[in-house]
Amino acid sequence: MAGRRKELNLGKRGGNNRRRHRPTFTEALRLADARARVRVTKNKPAGRRRFKHIQAAVAAPLPLDDTPGVLLRMIRWLLGLSLLPLCLVTTWTYFDLFRGFAMDRSFWTTSAFWYFATGALLMTGWFVSGLFWNAFLYVYVLGHELTHILAIWLFRGKISDWGVSADGGYVTTDKSNIVISLAPYFVPLWAATLMASYAIAAQFFNPTPTVTKTIYALLGFFWTFHLLWTLWMIPRDQPDLKENGTFLSLAIIYLANLLLVIVLTCFASHQFTVRDFAHDWVSHGKDLARWAMRATGDLRYLR
């Protein structure tokens, strides 16, 4: 039975010097999928300077002409539009929260903030400069596929094959949904693994201040790693986003990542809790609703 293949294809490095012709990773996947009559989104080779098409795709055992109908597209757009007020209120509340941090000098002088910021700046510098680019790209692909696998297991799906290489990665499974498709874009796997390992180790060993500061720095490093590579990946015509509608997928990714930033900020501040944020969120939501009602009334009056 043909399964569903979730794949992240990475092209080889371009250049004038050419290797002997041999089947590439992408060609091998295309051949295997053709035999299984499974649609796979193809990917062009890309070099260090021109990573044009690095894609994650879901290939289902469906007819080749499986373009969603008008009704399904409308439903996806309506769902995406319904998330916009949530994104607006959440963003508004977060900036109010951040403004409170900016006025509080004690937050900027905490060791947690400075070590977190150091790790974040280190990752940003490496990303911009291109140092260790291939190594980071491979780690990202590995985390991308592992996140898909964890999401598949969460929904009781079966995995028949998976792999990661310098050319890309893939997961062959019998199940796919919006969470499985988008999980790598809002789940910082390596940062979550770090914190889970630290939490478990802290139950058996008393962490020293040096270890705690190192964890803060690594958390900033890996969270920034997730954020930068996600932002870098999204504009590259991802089939994962198209599967459930690009607009709806982007709204979900934005809201999920923003909520993650809020949790990390509350964790680092020790002054504002998630409960405090939820209280402010409800207050801002009511303000937005009242503004919308007044605007609607004004429009009716003008008519």
Side-chain angles (χ1 to χ4, degrees), residues 3 10-11 33 36 43 64 68 77 93 109 126 135 139 161 164 189 194 209 213 215 221 271 283 289 296-297 299 302:
L10 303 178
D33 289 339
N43 185 51
L64 294 179
W77 268 92
T93 307
T109 59
W126 275 341
V139 173
D161 191 21
V164 176
L189 179 65
L194 171 70
K213 293 175 182 178
I215 293 297
F221 182 91
Q271 297 179 6
S283 177
T296 303
L299 289 176
L302 291 175

Side-chain angles (χ1 to χ4, degrees), residues 23-43:
T24 64
F25 176 82
T26 304
E27 292 171 346
L29 287 179
R30 290 170 56 189
L31 179 60
D33 289 339
R35 291 174 178 173
R37 299 184 62 82
V38 177
R39 177 179 60 82
V40 177
T41 300
K42 293 178 288 186
N43 185 51

Side-chain angles (χ1 to χ4, degrees), residues 17-298:
N17 297 327
R18 298 182 179 273
R19 299 181 179 179
R20 293 182 304 171
H21 177 73
R22 60 180 181 178
T24 64
F25 176 82
T26 304
E27 292 171 346
L29 287 179
R30 290 170 56 189
L31 179 60
D33 289 339
R35 291 174 178 173
R37 299 184 62 82
V38 177
R39 177 179 60 82
V40 177
T41 300
K42 293 178 288 186
N43 185 51
K44 302 290 185 180
R48 165 62 183 88
R49 296 181 181 179
R50 296 290 186 270
F51 287 91
K52 294 182 180 179
H53 303 284
I54 298 183
Q55 302 177 336
V58 176
L62 298 172
L64 294 179
D65 186 14
D66 60 346
T67 304
V70 176
L71 179 60
L72 180 57
R73 292 199 298 269
M74 289 181 61
I75 292 175
R76 290 173 176 174
W77 268 92
L78 289 175
L79 289 175
L81 289 173
S82 67
L83 289 178
L84 290 184
L86 299 180
C87 294
L88 177 60
V89 174
T90 305
T91 304
W92 180 12
T93 307
Y94 176 71
F95 277 104
D96 272 0
L97 185 69
F98 188 81
R99 183 178 59 183
F101 292 155
M103 297 176 62
D104 184 8
R105 295 183 179 180
S106 61
F107 172 75
W108 303 107
T109 59
T110 59
S111 60
F113 168 78
W114 281 106
Y115 278 91
F116 182 93
T118 300
L121 289 174
L122 183 61
M123 180 66 250
T124 302
W126 275 341
F127 182 86
V128 174
S129 66
L131 293 175
F132 310 112
W133 182 276
N134 291 332
F136 286 132
L137 185 58
Y138 181 88
V139 173
Y140 177 82
V141 175
L142 177 61
H144 187 104
E145 303 306 334
L146 289 177
T147 306
H148 282 314
I149 290 174
L150 293 175
I152 292 168
W153 285 344
L154 178 65
F155 287 93
R156 299 180 179 274
K158 295 181 180 179
I159 298 170
S160 57
D161 191 21
W162 76 285
V164 176
S165 74
D167 293 322
Y170 66 94
V171 176
T172 305
T173 179
D174 63 345
K175 179 174 292 188
S176 182
N177 55 40
I178 194 167
V179 176
I180 293 174
S181 298
L182 301 182
Y185 300 96
F186 59 79
V187 176
L189 179 65
W190 301 122
T193 302
L194 171 70
M195 294 308 298
S197 302
Y198 175 73
I200 294 173
Q203 301 299 320
F204 302 96
F205 306 99
N206 186 22
T208 64
T210 302
V211 171
T212 302
K213 293 175 182 178
T214 303
I215 293 297
Y216 282 129
L218 291 175
L219 180 61
F221 182 91
F222 284 116
W223 176 79
T224 306
F225 173 84
H226 159 76
L227 181 62
L228 290 176
W229 282 101
T230 299
L231 292 174
W232 182 82
M233 185 69 66
I234 286 176
R236 284 162 174 76
D237 195 26
Q238 296 301 318
D240 266 345
L241 308 183
K242 292 182 177 181
E243 179 190 0
N244 302 286
T246 301
F247 180 64
L248 174 60
S249 298
L250 290 177
I252 293 174
I253 291 171
Y254 174 81
L255 184 60
N257 279 284
L258 181 58
L259 291 174
L260 174 63
V261 172
I262 291 167
V263 171
L264 288 176
T265 305
C266 292
F267 174 76
S269 69
H270 298 292
Q271 297 179 6
F272 296 89
T273 64
V274 175
R275 184 176 180 179
D276 295 330
F277 176 85
H279 180 271
D280 291 346
W281 190 94
V282 172
S283 177
H284 288 147
K286 292 179 180 178
D287 292 340
L288 180 64
R290 285 193 291 267
W291 176 85
M293 293 177 64
R294 287 198 300 267
T296 303
D298 292 340

